[in-house]
Amino acid sequence: MERKTPLYERHVAAGGKIVPFAGWLLPVQYSGVIAEHKAVRSACGLFDVSHMGELVLRGADALANVNKLMTNDFSGMYEGQARYSPMCYEDGGVVDDLIVYKVSDTVYFIVVNAANKDKDAAWIADHLTGDCVMEDWSDRVAQLALQGPRAEEILRTLTSDIPEKNYSAVLRGTVKGIPCMVSRTGYTGEDGFELYCAPADAPTLWDALLEAGKPFGLIPCGLGARDTLRLEAAMPLYGHELSPAINPYEAVLGIFVKLEKPDFIGKAALEKARPVSRRRVGLKITGRGIAREECPVYDGEKQIGVVTSGTHCPWLGQAVAMAMVDVAYKEPGTVVQVDVRGRRIEAEVVKTPFYKRG
């Protein structure tokens, strides 16, 4: 049985089209994916992302365990700072990609993908050492995402607890009097904020944000726009551009692999993983059609890869895709063909992100 977030009744009352996703019932759209996508690019959108998982590592050895579990280096962080990282298996394949916040020297707050929460929690728990325990806070936390160029203006009408830097958080803030952790990361290619609060406070916070955002063009948004926005910003999605069969270098996330730090899970395999034979690229579809996940990519009669994500991006007015292809075809300007239901359409390798704010 699918679960409901604390905002489920709000979604139904607002006419949200509810669909099952990662074990949850969530709105895929309200006014429509195109309208919601464009609102985030031009003004602001509000998303319910309470389905995401939240795990806490606590103890004197919390930092040592975070550094052992993740490929990035979490040493030297200040309280409230966040860092993105893949978490890998011993063979270098990806368990999940996640964001880690430093709460204190002994507490780290980890946000994981909803579909992977139980798997991630089990993996982490099985690999903890020393003075460190893991707590699953997923049922104790609701999360709202405010995304778009006017997000800060809207939030400032309700709070002064605004993180100044990207990938940082006000750990103990309030929004409209509601206790919240206010973070500034985002998943859409726009400036944006994530508000973490108690589940019981989520409906009141949702209402306050929508009311405050009316003069700024804020609208509620669903999963459909969230996916088209992240693809337009060329952000990898677990299960598509990341998986146990894809390592961070192939996904072009090598910047988040710190081989210079002491041993971490997957380090030995990742040390041998370069040069890669395939890698993630962006494709602009120049023919007529939309490339979807699992569409084969060709150079003439030779298959050179496969599409991992693809759609028509409303803001760009262009069909684009991400694909995993033979590394020989990674250079922008390379012309390839994508097989869409037995019909070949032309595409061109381009630089990513497809869309970049400003």
Side-chain angles (χ1 to χ4, degrees):
M1 176 180 290
E2 284 84 13
R3 301 177 63 189
K4 299 175 181 178
T5 77
L7 293 165
Y8 176 80
E9 299 301 333
R10 292 293 194 276
H11 302 321
V12 172
K17 181 180 178 182
I18 306 298
V19 299
F21 177 79
W24 296 81
L25 293 174
L26 292 165
V28 67
Q29 64 181 39
Y30 290 90
S31 52
V33 172
I34 293 175
E36 292 165 25
H37 183 115
K38 290 183 174 180
V40 173
R41 289 280 179 253
S42 61
C44 199
L46 181 63
F47 300 83
D48 177 12
V49 286
S50 300
H51 59 299
M52 299 290 282
E54 291 86 15
L55 308 173
V56 174
L57 293 190
R58 187 187 303 275
D61 295 319
L63 174 59
N65 278 274
V66 170
N67 271 331
K68 183 183 75 170
L69 287 159
M70 317 300 175
T71 65
N72 206 342
D73 190 349
F74 296 88
S75 306
M77 294 172 68
Y78 56 82
E79 292 186 3
Q81 187 175 0
R83 282 183 183 159
Y84 170 88
S85 181
M87 179 168 65
C88 287
Y89 294 105
E90 286 90 346
D91 65 0
V94 178
V95 181
D96 201 3
D97 65 325
L98 37 78
I99 296 177
V100 179
Y101 295 84
K102 180 177 179 178
V103 178
S104 71
D105 288 341
T106 58
V107 179
Y108 289 81
F109 181 77
I110 306 171
V111 182
V112 304
N113 287 304
N116 290 338
K117 193 267 291 183
D118 292 340
K119 177 187 73 172
D120 291 354
W123 176 261
I124 290 171
D126 286 346
H127 291 85
L128 292 180
T129 57
D131 180 5
C132 183
V133 297
M134 186 198 72
E135 301 167 1
D136 187 345
W137 279 37
S138 303
D139 291 338
R140 300 165 60 179
V141 178
Q143 184 187 162
L144 282 61
L146 186 69
Q147 296 282 305
R150 308 202 72 177
E152 183 172 349
E153 292 177 84
I154 294 168
L155 198 55
R156 284 199 181 278
T157 68
L158 300 174
T159 183
S160 59
D161 294 323
I162 307 288
E164 293 185 5
K165 297 180 179 179
N166 200 28
Y167 272 76
S168 69
V170 176
L171 296 171
R172 297 171 184 85
T174 60
V175 178
K176 190 71 171 180
I178 296 170
C180 291
M181 183 177 93
V182 183
S183 77
R184 192 172 201 160
T185 61
Y187 189 61
T188 61
E190 298 293 343
D191 190 18
F193 302 88
E194 297 75 41
L195 310 176
Y196 298 84
C197 66
D201 290 332
T204 302
L205 182 60
W206 178 268
D207 294 344
L209 288 164
L210 286 177
E211 183 63 29
K214 280 182 182 179
F216 301 90
L218 174 66
I219 64 171
C221 299
L223 294 172
R226 188 166 170 83
D227 189 53
T228 58
L229 288 159
R230 75 93 197 167
L231 179 55
E232 202 170 62
M235 294 186 175
L237 178 65
Y238 190 87
H240 295 248
E241 290 76 39
L242 290 167
S243 76
I246 300 172
N247 71 49
Y249 292 121
E250 294 170 323
V252 197
L253 297 176
I255 190 175
F256 303 109
V257 179
K258 306 301 183 184
L259 293 176
E260 64 273 16
K261 73 173 183 175
D263 195 33
F264 59 88
I265 298 172
K267 180 179 180 179
L270 291 172
E271 285 176 327
K272 302 173 183 177
R274 293 179 295 178
V276 296
S277 61
R278 60 177 185 166
R279 58 161 282 176
R280 175 171 64 103
V281 299
L283 298 179
K284 179 176 73 173
I285 307 304
T286 54
R288 296 186 62 182
I290 298 175
R292 302 291 189 185
E293 180 187 358
E294 296 186 354
C295 286
V297 181
Y298 287 89
D299 175 17
E301 295 305 310
K302 177 185 177 183
Q303 183 174 350
I304 59 165
V306 65
V307 170
T308 54
S309 296
T311 191
H312 184 273
C313 288
W315 189 253
L316 296 177
Q318 170 71 54
V320 301
M322 286 189 285
M324 193 66 64
V325 302
D326 186 298
V327 72
Y329 296 84
K330 69 181 179 64
E331 294 301 327
T334 302
V335 175
V336 298
Q337 303 84 42
V338 180
D339 188 310
V340 179
R341 298 179 180 175
R343 182 173 63 89
R344 298 282 182 92
I345 60 175
E346 284 211 341
E348 179 184 339
V349 176
V350 295
K351 291 183 178 180
T352 56
F354 304 109
Y355 168 86
K356 189 173 183 179
R357 178 166 56 100

